[in-house]
Amino acid sequence: PRAPRVAMVRLEELDGDAPPDLEEIPGAEISVEIKSHPGLWLASEAALDEPKVGLLDKGVTHLLSFGALRRASPTRRHQVYERAENGALVTHLRAACDFMREAIEGGGGARGNVAVVSEEEGEDAAAFLIAAFLVVEKRVETVDDAVAAVTSSRPSSELATHKEFAKNLKFLARNGIPDWA
């Protein structure tokens, strides 16, 4: 099966009798690899609807979900990242970062690709996990660099304007993952 195309039309094109030309939106695919970090993928919920096209054909071997999935994981290796009971984001982050690192570096086997998705809190939550991984594990220079790595691959991401995620990324850049997490 072919990946669904994401397209848009100009408003004035809707006035004509002929079907409008579709303009493809760069970075709007159902899953995108983070350009500066091969093996790390940001996936939309639609990738779970079409896992062969959205994940498996791209070589995704591991799936990290921000919150529970409402369906079976299409990959053999799947881990769920949950907020702490008090809503904190950093409490369970160590396990999520370890999972991503081991998937990409091939811990315990062949190198793989990891996709991060969130049905529970939306794509920006998945983008947060990727940016947090870049800050903590890849030691990108600044939070802005981590956010830019995500948004250059997925221009529609609103990670940069999400206050809670930005605050937590800044905390991680200053302190790393706390020992209690």
Side-chain angles (χ1 to χ4, degrees), residues 15-144:
D15 293 332
D17 292 332
D21 293 330
L22 296 178
E23 181 181 326
E24 298 226 6
I25 305 169
E29 299 83 6
I30 59 176
S31 57
V32 292
E33 188 169 29
I34 304 303
K35 296 171 189 166
S36 56
H37 297 278
L40 189 56
W41 291 77
L42 175 61
S44 69
E45 289 181 51
L48 297 172
D49 295 333
E50 299 267 350
K52 183 166 179 9
V53 175
L55 300 170
L56 303 176
D57 284 354
K58 297 178 185 315
V60 170
T61 54
H62 295 66
L63 185 68
L64 175 65
S65 60
F66 189 121
L69 291 178
R70 293 186 284 267
R71 60 192 103 197
S73 173
T75 62
R76 270 191 246 145
R77 298 285 319 264
H78 172 233
Q79 182 161 318
V80 176
Y81 165 83
E82 297 279 356
R83 286 178 179 264
E85 286 184 25
N86 65 0
L89 287 167
V90 300
T91 304
H92 301 137
L93 195 57
R94 170 57 48 217
C97 287
D98 289 348
F99 181 78
M100 287 187 271
R101 185 186 66 255
E102 290 169 9
I104 294 168
E105 293 177 358
R111 289 178 54 108
N113 291 310
V114 62
V116 185
V117 67
S118 177
E119 288 184 298
E120 202 168 274
E121 294 202 35
E123 194 171 293
D124 289 333
F128 163 76
L129 287 177
I130 291 172
F133 174 75
L134 296 177
V135 167
V136 172
E137 293 288 331
K138 296 297 184 179
R139 308 258 191 253
V140 295
E141 292 214 11
T142 67
V143 168
D144 290 340

